[in-house]
Amino acid sequence: MEALTDLASARRIVVKVGSALLIDPRTADADRAWLASLAADAARMKARGQQLLIVSSGAVALGRKRLGLMAKKLDLPQKQAAAAAGQSLLMHAWEEAFAPHAMTAAQVLLTRDDTETRRRWLNARATTETLLGLGVVPIVNENDTVVTEEIRYGDNDRLAARVAQMIGADLLVLLSDVDGLYTGDPRRDPGARHIPVVRELTPEIDAMAGGANAAAGVGTGGMATKLMAARIAAAAGCATLITIGGRPAPLGAVEAGAKATLFEPHVSPAAAYKAWIAGSLAPQGSVTVDAGAAAALRQGKSLLPAGVCQVEGRFEKGDAILIQAEDGREIARGLSRYDAADADRIKGLKSAAIEAVLGYTEGPTLIHADDLALGRG
């Protein structure tokens, strides 16, 4: 019941689809019937006002067939070549699935740096936020064409969790080969019990995770990586749902009462994000604001350039900075949308003048309210 409630009520949902689900093992092509059923799930969720983002594997698996590399164990350059050849096939399969519902899909390719370097993180978030606002379904994949072993995630469970964290998702759905977490591996232990809800990820829960499903032959994740993803998501205030993906309309199946395991977070996505800004990032500079701007910030408003009196430090776009009152008290901390040099050039100006002064604009705010954590000053 809790899994059903979370799936039906979540505002923003990330769904991870692995290669073992997307690829038809008989043909090594995309499983179009299964994709069509998931697209029907997505259309139903969109109709009730939910936003959906899909993290999809499959480019390498599709590309290796196209390039005649099915019989080989691929080295890194061959994997990158297969990804390049398979990306268009992957997106075509998703576009074909969504077409009957008049839904648009858009490809977003990420590397680990895109979710861990703040400047690139802000850019990736802005793109996905815009796509979601337009009613588009972003199809996210690791950029295997250029990624190296040193900067790759290696599995899309963790990538999906980082994406959920990045966009402030309420729910992360990991479609798996099992219907959730068991006290042991149900494929080997007939006495293993299903756990419907996990309220805290303890060492005992971690010990229940089994190995990867080697039989599928195309995936890289197992239950252990799914628990790692659930931990990342929980820290961001996002619940995680693990359920079987190999049946038609897997999200609809959960809504109809099929087994799943729900991992509960302890805070909301917004509260977790604000706490991260307030306590986890070292400020790289500061701005001093006038009394009017200080009052607006305390009312939950964004920081506009017009209220800024002074800029200090050598911060870059996306860096955390302090916001101080004219008497030096810290009012808040936030992520700057402009670097220090440009912030200094636009301080005191109305937002409409930003583009004329800089020749570009990152929007009307120096720090958006969503990227700002109030202090006690």
Side-chain angles (χ1 to χ4, degrees), residues 283-288 308-315 320-322 324 340 343-344 347:
Q284 302 300 308
S286 67
V287 293
T288 300
V308 177
C309 307
Q310 186 175 351
V311 177
E312 296 182 346
R314 299 182 64 176
F315 53 88
I321 60 174
L322 299 178
Q324 300 174 331
D344 193 54
K347 70 177 187 291

Side-chain angles (χ1 to χ4, degrees), residues 1 21 43 77 93 133 146 156 167 174 192 198 207 225 244 274 276 294 302 314 329:
M1 181 60 69
L21 298 176
V146 299
N156 273 359
I167 67 169
L174 301 177
V198 174
T225 65
I244 284 181
K274 301 274 186 178
W276 174 68
S302 298
R314 299 182 64 176
R329 288 179 299 111

Side-chain angles (χ1 to χ4, degrees), residues 3-306:
L4 168 59
T5 301
D6 272 57
L7 190 55
S9 63
R11 177 186 61 92
R12 182 171 285 180
I13 301 169
V14 173
V15 178
K16 179 260 180 178
V17 176
S19 297
L21 298 176
L22 191 138
I23 305 298
D24 186 333
R26 298 167 300 174
T27 64
D29 292 322
D31 187 338
R32 284 171 169 76
W34 183 85
L35 285 169
S37 75
L38 184 63
D41 276 343
R44 184 181 65 258
M45 297 166 84
K46 182 181 179 182
R48 64 190 182 206
Q50 294 171 293
Q51 295 179 329
L52 186 70
L53 181 151
I54 295 174
V55 175
S56 174
S57 301
V60 173
L62 292 169
R64 67 187 299 169
K65 179 181 180 182
R66 179 180 248 184
L67 298 180
L69 297 173
M70 293 298 292
K72 299 181 179 181
K73 181 178 180 180
L74 305 185
D75 59 24
L76 181 57
Q78 289 172 329
K79 287 180 182 177
Q80 291 174 326
Q87 286 292 350
S88 60
L89 296 175
L90 179 64
M91 283 308 300
H92 179 70
W94 282 112
E95 289 167 352
E96 188 177 66
F98 285 124
H101 307 285
M103 294 173 68
T104 301
Q107 184 179 56
V108 179
L109 295 174
L110 298 175
T111 67
R112 195 171 69 195
D113 283 352
D114 294 319
T115 59
E116 295 186 1
T117 302
R118 282 191 295 277
R119 184 185 187 108
R120 294 168 68 169
W121 182 89
L122 283 174
N123 288 336
R125 186 182 67 165
T127 299
T128 51
E129 289 277 0
T130 301
L131 291 170
L132 291 168
L134 292 170
V136 173
V137 180
I139 307 296
V140 176
N141 195 6
E142 187 159 17
N143 193 356
D144 289 314
T145 300
V146 299
V147 76
T148 62
E149 294 296 335
E150 291 76 17
I151 62 168
R152 74 190 310 265
Y153 278 96
D155 69 82
N156 273 359
D157 292 325
R158 281 175 288 189
L159 173 60
R162 290 297 185 193
V163 169
Q165 180 185 55
M166 181 177 73
I167 67 169
D170 306 286
L171 180 64
L172 167 64
V173 180
L174 301 177
L175 298 179
S176 179
D177 58 339
V178 292
D179 51 11
L181 182 66
Y182 283 75
T183 53
D185 188 338
R187 293 166 295 193
R188 299 185 179 93
D189 179 5
R193 292 180 293 103
H194 180 262
I195 302 174
V197 179
V198 174
R199 292 187 166 85
E200 185 176 0
L201 281 161
T202 62
E204 291 75 19
I205 293 294
D206 286 333
M208 296 176 188
N213 181 15
V218 292
T220 57
M223 187 56 70
T225 65
K226 288 173 175 56
L227 294 192
M228 291 174 66
R231 183 171 277 106
I232 293 169
C238 177
T240 298
L241 189 69
I242 299 176
T243 191
I244 284 181
R247 54 193 161 203
L251 304 182
V254 172
E255 292 185 25
K259 279 185 181 179
T261 296
L262 179 70
F263 296 80
E264 296 181 338
H266 297 292
V267 295
S268 70
Y273 182 51
K274 301 274 186 178
W276 174 68
I277 292 172
S280 299
L281 300 176
Q284 302 300 308
S286 67
V287 293
T288 300
V289 301
D290 61 28
L297 292 175
R298 294 189 182 100
Q299 295 171 9
K301 303 291 181 61
S302 298
L303 176 60
L304 302 177

